[in-house]
């Protein structure tokens, strides 16, 4: 298996895991708080679904060779999330399922097209090869599965997924001016976040480091005293 095959297998597995975990969630539980401030689980589910559609727009742009945006504007994105959060549990589940299917189909088309190197622009402004949209999506699925507060932990993600997510999150966080440069180190690997001399060496398991970097719980890290990464 290539690294790209590993990633697609991890994405398929994590997506199924997320969808499976939502089956028994009641309407009442959907409208309870998630672990993201101000968002219920229903906001989060809507966000996960609209993110899939936003990434599909980027893939379609990459396939057509035309510039595309994930969302028409931040206001439209936020309004869709607020409106979607009022729906029933059944509607939320169907949306999560259908949007994940649309992403999977579009990403398969991209992989078959040979356009993986076409440059797309993320909502935050980063220009990345379209092939990285798979790991961008994996991040949304894994991190927000944890945020749904349904008992899922980052420690459940497999090794290749955690490695790919650490690389993606390190690049994304390294672009933030508020993030001090650090070196992440785990058994068998290390990764720089940001440029320049690291201000600290932060050590832990890949899940713990991913959790620390993105403001979630993945286990204990050492060496991070006094450093609080900005919001992911
Ligand atoms: O990687 C980025 O620059 C941006 C990612 C996102 O915007 C993910 C979302 O928060 C979203 O799709 O709404």
């Amino acid at each position: 298996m290539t690294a790209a095959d590993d990633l697609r297998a991890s994405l398929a597995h994590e997506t199924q895991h997320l969808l499976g975990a939502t089956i028994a969630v009641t309407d009442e539980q959907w409208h309870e708080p998630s672990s993201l401030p101000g968002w219920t689980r229903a906001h989060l589910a809507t966000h996960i679904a609209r993110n899939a559609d936003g990434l599909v727009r980027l893939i379609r742009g990459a396939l057509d060779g035309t510039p595309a945006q994930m969302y028409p504007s931040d206001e439209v994105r936020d309004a869709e999330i607020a409106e979607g959060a009022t729906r029933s549990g059944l509607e939320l589940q169907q949306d999560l399922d259908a949007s994940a299917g649309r992403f999977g189909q579009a990403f398969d088309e991209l992989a078959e097209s040979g356009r993986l190197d076409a440059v797309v622009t993320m909502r935050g402004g980063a220009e990345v090869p379209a092939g990285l949209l798979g790991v961008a999506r994996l991040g949304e699925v894994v991190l927000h599965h944890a945020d749904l507060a349904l008992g899922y932990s980052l420690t459940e993600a497999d090794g290749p997924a955690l490695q790919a997510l650490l690389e993606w999150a390190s690049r994304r966080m390294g672009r933030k001016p508020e993030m001090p440069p650090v070196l992440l180190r785990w058994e068998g690997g290390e990764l720089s976040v940001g440029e320049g001399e690291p201000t600290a060496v932060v050590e832990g398991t890949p899940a713990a480091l991913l959790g620390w970097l993105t403001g979630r719980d993945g286990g204990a890290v050492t060496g991070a005293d006094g450093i609080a990464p900005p919001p992911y």
Side-chain angles (χ1 to χ4, degrees):
M1 287 245 282
T2 65
D5 291 335
D6 277 344
L7 178 71
R8 286 168 80 177
S10 295
L11 179 56
H13 171 77
E14 291 294 341
T15 301
Q16 284 312 313
H17 196 167
L18 169 70
L19 294 173
T22 64
I23 287 173
V25 177
T26 63
D27 272 326
E28 190 183 347
Q29 288 170 324
W30 275 116
H31 296 98
E32 289 171 353
S34 71
S35 62
L36 290 189
W39 273 11
T40 63
R41 293 190 177 101
H43 285 91
L44 202 39
T46 306
H47 163 63
I48 296 168
R50 296 293 71 77
N51 167 264
D53 291 335
L55 295 176
V56 168
R57 280 181 210 111
L58 296 187
I59 293 174
R60 296 278 164 231
L63 288 170
D64 297 348
T66 52
Q69 290 184 311
M70 289 181 73
Y71 305 97
S73 67
D74 282 352
E75 289 73 23
V76 169
R77 167 191 181 268
D78 295 350
E80 283 181 345
I81 293 170
E83 192 181 329
T86 62
R87 293 174 295 169
S88 70
L90 181 60
E91 288 172 299
L92 290 164
Q93 276 175 306
Q94 287 173 337
D95 191 17
L96 275 174
D97 194 4
S99 57
R102 290 191 288 274
F103 178 84
Q105 186 179 342
F107 197 66
D108 284 348
E109 281 177 46
L110 179 73
E112 283 157 23
S113 73
R115 302 268 307 153
L116 291 165
D117 290 335
V119 174
V120 296
T121 306
M122 302 300 293
R123 183 169 76 94
E127 295 189 341
V128 303
L132 284 184
L133 295 177
V135 69
R137 177 64 184 165
L138 181 65
E140 297 293 312
V141 170
V142 167
L143 296 175
H144 291 324
H145 191 172
D147 296 336
L148 279 170
L150 293 171
Y152 175 82
S153 156
L154 298 184
T155 57
E156 294 177 54
D158 63 33
L162 287 169
Q163 173 86 33
L165 289 178
L166 265 181
E167 287 170 17
W168 174 257
S170 295
R171 269 197 296 267
R172 183 164 156 176
M173 293 300 279
R175 287 191 290 268
K176 293 184 189 267
E178 322 88 286
M179 180 74 209
V182 295
L183 185 69
L184 304 180
R185 183 175 289 154
W186 63 94
E187 199 180 327
E190 58 180 33
L191 197 55
S192 295
V193 182
E195 287 176 9
E197 194 60 28
T199 54
V201 179
V202 183
E203 299 190 69
T205 63
L209 292 169
L210 181 66
W212 176 76
L213 195 57
T214 64
R216 291 161 174 91
D217 182 23
V221 298
T222 57
D225 290 351
I227 305 175
Y232 178 70

